[in-house]
Amino acid sequence: MNSDEFRKAGYRIIDWIADYRGGLESRPVMAQVAPGDIIAQLPASPPQQPESFDAIIADLDRIVMPGITSWQHPRFFGYFPASSSLASVLGDYVSSGLGVVGLAWQSSPALTEVEEVTTSWMRQMLGLSEAWSGVINDTASTSTLVALLCARERTSNYGLARGGLQEEERPLVVYVSSQSHSSVEKAALLAGFGKAYVRSVPLDAAYAMRADALEELVQDDILNGRRPCAVVATIGTTTTTAFDPLEAIATVAKAHGLWVHVDAAMAGSAMILPQCRWMWAGVEHADSLIVNAHKWLGAVFDCTVYFVRDPEHLVRVMSTNPSYLQSAADGRVKNYRDWGLPLGRRFRALKLWFLIREQGVEGLQARLRRDMANAKWLEAQVKAAPGWRVLAPVPLQTVCIRHEPDGMSGDALDRHTLDWAARLNQSGEAYVTPAMLDGRWMVRVSIGAELTERQHVAQLWQLCQDAVQEG
Amino acid sequence: MNSDEFRKAGYRIIDWIADYRGGLESRPVMAQVAPGDIIAQLPASPPQQPESFDAIIADLDRIVMPGITSWQHPRFFGYFPASSSLASVLGDYVSSGLGVVGLAWQSSPALTEVEEVTTSWMRQMLGLSEAWSGVINDTASTSTLVALLCARERTSNYGLARGGLQEEERPLVVYVSSQSHSSVEKAALLAGFGKAYVRSVPLDAAYAMRADALEELVQDDILNGRRPCAVVATIGTTTTTAFDPLEAIATVAKAHGLWVHVDAAMAGSAMILPQCRWMWAGVEHADSLIVNAHKWLGAVFDCTVYFVRDPEHLVRVMSTNPSYLQSAADGRVKNYRDWGLPLGRRFRALKLWFLIREQGVEGLQARLRRDMANAKWLEAQVKAAPGWRVLAPVPLQTVCIRHEPDGMSGDALDRHTLDWAARLNQSGEAYVTPAMLDGRWMVRVSIGAELTERQHVAQLWQLCQDAVQEG
C-alpha cells in the first residue's frame, strides 16, 4: 500500500471508526457470540495472494464486529473505565503512522523527550512532588513486576550481579493484601519470591490493609530470620476502590527498610482532583507508583505511567548497553530502554499528549467530577430501594451492589446474583462485572466511560431492577 | 472530541501521515536535533484549558518532527528493518479506534479469536508444525523473559508455588552466547538466576554457539551440583545474523532436560521463504520461539509472536483467576491474559491480519527476496572495493562492513570507523548502525525498509565511499 492508497483507505477507516463511535448507543454492549463463532468464519490458512481492502473491511463488519464488546459504549459499566478518548486515538494514529521505534534517544529523540515532558505533566496534574520521575509502560501488571524486581535488588544489594535469588541466605518477603490486584501476587511469584514468602496482610472493615497487622507480620518474619523486602499498597482496590492507609504503611516500611509500591492504577486518575488527594496521603513516602492513564483518564490503551523516586536504581536494575545501541548522546539523554522490561518502545507519549492538550486539565477534571456525582446518585438510588444493598463505600466511581430478596442467602443468593447479572449482560443493554466480596457474589457497577451521562446510569439502574424481576 | 469532530480531525491526520510517508525521500533520515532541543520548546506544565486541534498539529510539525529519525525512510539501514507497512498501520487504527481491552475472552471475543487465527496463519507461513501455539506479545525482550520464567518453573517443578528461587537447593543455570541479544542476559537476571549462573557458551568462527562447548559446560555444572535449566539459541544474531546450530543444541538440551528457547526475532520473518528454513533446522525440538512480526515482516511495532509447544505449562506459570475476570465461557475459550505478563491486551492481531491479507504470503515473500538480493549485491560491491571488507557471512539482509585504509588498525581504525559512520548519519542522507565485532567497531548495514529498492542501496554504498574520503 503506497501513501496515495493509504490516503484513500485511511479516510474509509476514519469514517468507519466515526460511524462506530457515533452509533454506539444502538449497538449491544456485550458481544452476542458463542466461543468459536469468529474462528469458524475465518479462513484456516493465510491468503497466498493479496486481497482487496474492500474484502478486509467487509470481513471486519461481518465477522469481527459481532465479536466486539464495546468498552466505549455509554452503558458499559464493566471492569473499569477505559475511555479511549478520540483525541488520544488520533495521537496513537500519529504514532503508528510515523512507525518509529524508541530503542535509544537517537533512534527518535522526540519519542523520548515528549515522553519526558508528558510524564512530567502527569506528575504535576496528580499533585506529586518533583522528586518523582515517570516513564510510560504498557500495563500495571508489567510495572508492578518492575517494582518488585527493583525492591528485590535493593534488599539483596544487587544480587542479580552475583547469584541472584539463588544465593540469598535469608529469604526475602513481600507483603500484599487479599484485595491487591491479581497482578500483584503474579508479579511476586514471577520475580522468584515464591508463594511461601508472599504475606497477605489482614484487612479492616473497609477492605483496607491494616498497618498494625503489617507491622506484626514484619516483626514475625524478622524474628524468624527472614528479610522483609516490599509492601504493595493499593489506592482504589479493584473490587471496592478501598484505600490502603499509605501514611501508616510507609511508617512501618521505613522502620524496616521495605520498598513501598503504590498501585493506583485505576484511582490514580482521580488525583487530578485536589479534593481527592487525601486518598493517597503519604504517597510521597513511597518508592514507586503506577497510574493507568488508559483507564479513567481516557488515554487509549496501553498507557501506564510508572513513577519512581530513584531512577538511578531503576536503571541499574534494568540497563543493558550493547555496542549497537550506544551513541554519542549517551550520558546526556534518557534511554528509556533502561527504565523497564522491553527494549523496543512505541511513541506512546503522543496519545497522552494529545489527550491532555485537547481536553485541558480542567476538561479532564470536569469529566471525572461528573462520573463521581453519577456514582453518588446511583448509590443513593440503590440504598433507597427495598431489597437492594450497597456493599462498600463509594468514594469514586465504583458502586458495589446486591439485590437480596427476603429470606434469600448463601448459595441461593449467589445464584440469584450471577443470574440477573448474566441476564443483564446477555441482553446487550448494559454491561456490569460480577465479583466476589467477603466470599459472596455481588455486582460491580464501574462508572466512567466518556459517553456515560446521568441518563445512562439511570437506564442501568432501571435495567438492574428489571433483571431481578425476570428470574 | 465527538465522532463528527473526529471525522474531520481524522482526515487531517490521514493526510498528514500520507504526506509524511510520501515525502520521506526528501527528509533527513536521522533527526538533526541536540539533546534537550525538543523539551526546551514544550511547555513545562500541562494546559489548564483545552487547546485547538490546529495548535496540536502545528506543534507536531514545528517541534516534534525535527526530532523524528525516520525508520520508514528508504535509506534507513539502522538497527533492523521495522517496516510499518501502511496496511498494518490501518489495522492498528481500527484497534485504537475500537478501544477494546482483552482482559478475558468475553471482554471482546473477536480480539482473542482473531489473534488465535492470525498466529496460526503465522505458524503456517513459517513452516512450523501444528504442535506450536502462538500468542502476540509486545516485544522479544518480554517474551524471552516469559520463556526463562517458564524454564525456571519447569526445572524447579513449579517452585513458585513454594519458596520460589529462594528455596532451591541446587542452583539453576542458563546458557547463552556472547552474540545473544542484550535482552537475553537481562531476562535471565530479572528472572532471578543471577549472573553467576548465566554461562556464555564459546562461539565458532561464524559467531555461532558451539554445541560441543555447551555440552562441556553442562557436564561441568552437573558435576558441581548445579542444575542446567535453559539454553537460548539465536537464529540470526543481532550483530551478524549468525545461526546457532539448533539441531545439535537441541540434542544436548534433550539429554539434560534443558528448556530450548529460540530467539528468531529478526530472522524469523525469513522463514516464510522455504529456501531459508535450513537456517533453523531443528526448531521443532525447541520449547519456545519468538518471531518479531514488527521487524522485517512489516507489522507496525509492537507485535512479537511467541510460540510455545506446551501452552498448558505456560498458563500454569502465568495464570491468575480473580472473580472479577471469570465468566461462563471459561474452560471453552483461550484467555490470553494467562499466556504472558500483562493482564490488559490491545487488539494487536488486527495489524498483523491486515498486513497478511493486503500483501498475501506471496507479496511478503517477494519483498523479503528483494531485500536479500540487495544485501548480496552490496556484499559483492564492498568485497570488490579496495580497502573495504565484509566481516561476516551475509545469509539474509545484514551486511557487516569496514573500511580499512592501508596500515590502519587498532584504536585508530576504530576511530576511523566511528567517524565516518557518524558523518554519514549526521548528514541525514542515510542511517547505519556501528557495532562491535571481535572487539573492534564495524558498520552494520541492515537492509529491508519497505521502500528500500536497489537504487537506495546503491546510493548508500556511494555515501559510504564518500564518507570515508571526507575524514
Side-chain angles (χ1 to χ4, degrees):
Chain A
M1 180 178 284
N2 65 29
S3 59
D4 289 331
E5 293 163 336
F6 171 81
R7 199 183 304 265
K8 204 174 141 205
Y11 286 173
R12 261 183 93 173
I13 293 293
I14 295 293
D15 282 335
W16 190 91
I17 295 292
D19 292 345
Y20 169 71
R21 290 292 191 105
L24 276 166
E25 209 146 347
S26 60
R27 296 183 65 91
V29 191
M30 187 175 89
Q32 308 283 305
V33 297
D37 278 359
I38 315 283
I39 290 174
Q41 296 176 77
L42 293 169
S45 294
Q48 291 301 304
Q49 302 297 326
E51 296 186 74
S52 71
F53 202 71
D54 284 346
I56 300 172
I57 297 289
D59 285 353
L60 202 56
D61 285 324
R62 189 175 58 89
I63 303 172
V64 174
M65 289 315 292
I68 291 295
T69 297
S70 288
W71 286 60
Q72 307 309 317
H73 197 292
R75 287 188 304 275
F76 181 87
F77 301 99
Y79 312 114
F80 51 81
S83 294
S84 302
S85 195
L86 286 167
S88 175
V89 168
L90 290 177
D92 206 37
Y93 284 6
V94 173
S95 170
S96 294
L98 288 173
V100 298
V101 184
L103 298 180
W105 176 86
Q106 183 177 283
S107 79
S108 262
L111 185 154
T112 297
E113 298 199 8
V114 176
E115 184 161 336
E116 198 169 335
V117 169
T118 310
T119 53
S120 167
W121 287 7
M122 275 292 285
R123 178 187 64 69
Q124 297 169 62
M125 289 161 65
L126 298 169
L128 296 169
S129 78
E130 289 187 358
W132 294 96
S133 301
V135 59
I136 301 179
N137 288 339
D138 60 345
T139 60
S141 306
T142 304
S143 306
T144 295
L145 176 57
V146 168
L148 291 183
L149 292 170
C150 288
R152 186 188 80 187
E153 294 308 311
R154 192 174 75 177
T155 300
S156 69
N157 193 21
Y158 300 97
L160 58 71
R162 302 183 307 276
L165 269 182
Q166 310 202 92
E167 284 183 356
E168 295 300 316
E169 296 200 349
R170 290 180 299 139
L172 279 57
V173 184
V174 174
Y175 304 84
V176 305
S177 95
S178 64
Q179 296 298 301
S180 300
H181 189 264
S182 58
S183 61
V184 175
E185 184 180 86
K186 178 171 175 173
L189 299 185
L190 296 183
F193 292 98
K195 200 153 187 162
Y197 300 109
V198 181
R199 308 260 173 274
S200 186
V201 181
L203 306 172
D204 68 17
Y207 306 102
M209 182 184 283
R210 278 175 42 206
D212 62 319
L214 171 65
E215 173 73 33
E216 274 176 44
L217 287 171
V218 167
Q219 293 282 5
D220 180 69
D221 280 320
I222 293 171
L223 273 173
N224 286 282
R226 298 180 284 260
R227 274 182 300 173
C229 171
V231 57
V232 180
T234 308
I235 299 302
T237 57
T238 306
T239 306
T240 69
T241 62
F243 311 117
D244 290 342
L246 263 187
E247 196 86 60
I249 288 169
T251 302
V252 175
K254 187 157 287 184
H256 302 288
L258 275 75
W259 183 283
V260 179
H261 175 59
V262 176
D263 174 358
M266 212 297 291
S269 295
M271 305 308 149
I272 67 169
L273 296 170
Q275 72 260 34
C276 287
R277 290 187 191 145
W278 63 268
M279 296 173 186
W280 72 5
V283 69
E284 292 289 332
H285 301 299
D287 295 282
S288 56
L289 164 67
I290 44 176
V291 176
N292 283 356
H294 63 242
K295 286 191 165 137
W296 198 5
L297 198 70
V300 62
F301 184 85
D302 44 2
C303 192
T304 294
V305 187
Y306 178 60
F307 291 102
V308 291
R309 304 282 288 197
D310 185 354
E312 280 182 36
H313 175 73
L314 176 61
V315 168
R316 187 166 168 194
V317 175
M318 294 289 155
S319 72
T320 60
N321 197 24
S323 64
Y324 47 84
L325 294 178
Q326 294 167 16
S327 89
D330 293 347
R332 293 181 295 148
V333 294
K334 280 187 180 164
N335 280 318
Y336 277 125
R337 68 170 180 270
D338 296 335
W339 288 55
L341 301 182
L343 165 58
R345 170 170 292 271
R346 277 173 69 89
F347 200 160
R348 283 206 194 95
L350 285 176
K351 56 190 176 191
L352 189 51
W353 194 60
F354 270 53
L355 173 72
I356 296 170
R357 296 190 61 174
E358 196 261 349
Q359 294 280 303
V361 175
E362 292 185 10
L364 294 166
Q365 288 172 328
R367 179 159 57 76
L368 267 55
R369 269 194 232 100
R370 173 200 68 177
D371 298 336
M372 289 169 69
N374 282 339
K376 280 288 172 202
W377 178 87
L378 178 63
E379 179 190 23
Q381 306 306 307
V382 177
K383 278 186 169 167
W388 287 87
R389 274 182 64 201
V390 174
L391 300 166
V394 183
L396 293 168
Q397 49 57 265
T398 301
V399 189
C400 298
I401 66 175
R402 191 153 59 211
H403 179 247
E404 301 183 346
D406 269 352
M408 192 183 283
S409 67
D411 292 347
L413 181 59
D414 273 352
R415 277 194 301 276
H416 174 68
T417 304
L418 290 173
D419 278 355
W420 75 256
R423 267 197 304 280
L424 176 60
N425 286 349
Q426 282 158 13
S427 76
E429 294 293 323
Y431 190 86
V432 294
T433 304
M436 304 268 290
L437 188 64
D438 296 329
R440 288 292 166 200
W441 287 96
M442 53 89 182
V443 170
R444 275 172 80 258
V445 178
S446 179
I447 295 170
E450 194 178 26
L451 296 176
T452 303
E453 300 290 349
R454 175 68 53 84
Q455 73 200 69
H456 303 106
V457 181
Q459 287 165 5
L460 169 75
W461 173 225
Q462 188 58 53
L463 288 164
C464 291
Q465 292 170 291
D466 294 347
V468 302
Q469 301 300 331
E470 290 160 12
Chain B
M1 182 178 282
N2 65 31
S3 58
D4 288 331
E5 293 162 337
F6 171 81
R7 199 183 306 263
K8 204 174 141 205
Y11 286 174
R12 262 183 93 173
I13 293 293
I14 294 294
D15 282 335
W16 190 91
I17 295 292
D19 293 344
Y20 169 72
R21 290 292 192 105
L24 276 166
E25 208 144 350
S26 60
R27 296 183 66 91
V29 190
M30 188 174 87
Q32 309 284 304
V33 296
D37 278 359
I38 316 282
I39 291 174
Q41 297 176 77
L42 293 169
S45 294
Q48 292 300 304
Q49 301 298 326
E51 295 186 74
S52 73
F53 203 70
D54 284 346
I56 300 172
I57 298 289
D59 285 352
L60 203 56
D61 285 324
R62 188 174 59 88
I63 304 172
V64 173
M65 289 315 292
I68 291 295
T69 297
S70 287
W71 287 60
Q72 307 308 317
H73 197 293
R75 288 188 304 276
F76 181 88
F77 301 99
Y79 312 113
F80 52 81
S83 294
S84 303
S85 195
L86 287 167
S88 175
V89 168
L90 290 177
D92 206 36
Y93 284 7
V94 173
S95 171
S96 294
L98 286 174
V100 298
V101 184
L103 299 180
W105 176 87
Q106 183 178 284
S107 79
S108 262
L111 186 155
T112 297
E113 298 199 6
V114 176
E115 184 161 336
E116 197 168 336
V117 168
T118 310
T119 52
S120 167
W121 286 8
M122 276 291 287
R123 178 187 64 69
Q124 297 168 60
M125 290 161 64
L126 299 169
L128 296 169
S129 77
E130 288 188 357
W132 293 95
S133 301
V135 59
I136 301 178
N137 288 339
D138 59 346
T139 61
S141 307
T142 304
S143 305
T144 295
L145 177 57
V146 168
L148 291 183
L149 292 170
C150 287
R152 186 187 82 187
E153 295 308 312
R154 193 175 74 177
T155 301
S156 70
N157 193 21
Y158 301 97
L160 60 71
R162 302 184 304 277
L165 269 182
Q166 310 202 91
E167 285 184 357
E168 295 300 315
E169 297 199 349
R170 290 180 299 139
L172 278 57
V173 184
V174 175
Y175 304 84
V176 307
S177 96
S178 64
Q179 296 297 303
S180 300
H181 189 263
S182 58
S183 61
V184 174
E185 182 179 88
K186 178 171 175 173
L189 298 187
L190 296 183
F193 292 98
K195 200 153 187 161
Y197 300 109
V198 180
R199 307 262 174 273
S200 186
V201 181
L203 305 172
D204 67 18
Y207 306 101
M209 181 184 284
R210 280 175 40 206
D212 61 321
L214 171 66
E215 172 73 33
E216 274 175 45
L217 287 172
V218 167
Q219 292 284 3
D220 180 70
D221 279 322
I222 292 171
L223 273 173
N224 286 283
R226 298 181 283 261
R227 274 181 300 174
C229 171
V231 57
V232 180
T234 308
I235 298 302
T237 57
T238 305
T239 307
T240 70
T241 62
F243 311 117
D244 291 341
L246 262 189
E247 196 87 59
I249 288 170
T251 302
V252 176
K254 187 159 286 183
H256 303 288
L258 275 76
W259 183 284
V260 180
H261 175 59
V262 176
D263 174 358
M266 212 297 290
S269 295
M271 305 309 150
I272 67 169
L273 296 170
Q275 72 261 35
C276 286
R277 290 188 191 145
W278 62 268
M279 297 174 185
W280 72 5
V283 68
E284 292 289 333
H285 300 300
D287 295 283
S288 55
L289 165 66
I290 44 176
V291 176
N292 282 358
H294 63 243
K295 287 192 165 132
W296 199 5
L297 197 70
V300 62
F301 184 84
D302 44 2
C303 193
T304 294
V305 187
Y306 178 60
F307 290 103
V308 292
R309 304 280 289 196
D310 185 354
E312 279 181 37
H313 175 73
L314 176 62
V315 168
R316 189 166 167 193
V317 176
M318 295 289 155
S319 72
T320 59
N321 197 23
S323 64
Y324 47 84
L325 293 178
Q326 294 167 18
S327 88
D330 293 347
R332 293 180 296 149
V333 293
K334 281 186 179 162
N335 281 318
Y336 278 124
R337 69 170 180 269
D338 295 335
W339 287 56
L341 301 182
L343 165 58
R345 169 169 292 270
R346 276 173 69 89
F347 200 160
R348 284 205 194 94
L350 284 176
K351 56 190 176 191
L352 189 51
W353 193 60
F354 271 53
L355 174 73
I356 296 171
R357 295 190 62 175
E358 196 262 349
Q359 294 281 303
V361 175
E362 292 185 9
L364 294 166
Q365 287 172 327
R367 178 159 58 76
L368 267 55
R369 268 194 232 101
R370 174 199 68 176
D371 298 336
M372 289 169 68
N374 283 340
K376 280 287 171 205
W377 179 87
L378 178 63
E379 180 190 23
Q381 307 307 306
V382 178
K383 279 187 168 166
W388 286 88
R389 274 181 65 201
V390 174
L391 299 165
V394 183
L396 292 168
Q397 49 55 265
T398 301
V399 189
C400 297
I401 67 176
R402 190 155 57 210
H403 180 247
E404 301 184 347
D406 270 350
M408 193 183 282
S409 65
D411 292 348
L413 182 58
D414 273 351
R415 277 194 301 274
H416 175 67
T417 304
L418 290 173
D419 278 354
W420 74 257
R423 267 197 303 280
L424 177 59
N425 286 349
Q426 281 158 14
S427 76
E429 295 294 322
Y431 191 87
V432 294
T433 305
M436 305 268 289
L437 187 64
D438 296 329
R440 289 292 165 201
W441 286 96
M442 54 88 183
V443 170
R444 276 171 81 257
V445 178
S446 179
I447 296 170
E450 194 177 26
L451 295 176
T452 303
E453 300 291 347
R454 175 68 53 86
Q455 72 200 69
H456 303 105
V457 181
Q459 289 165 5
L460 170 76
W461 174 224
Q462 188 57 53
L463 290 164
C464 291
Q465 292 169 291
D466 295 347
V468 301
Q469 301 301 331
E470 291 160 13

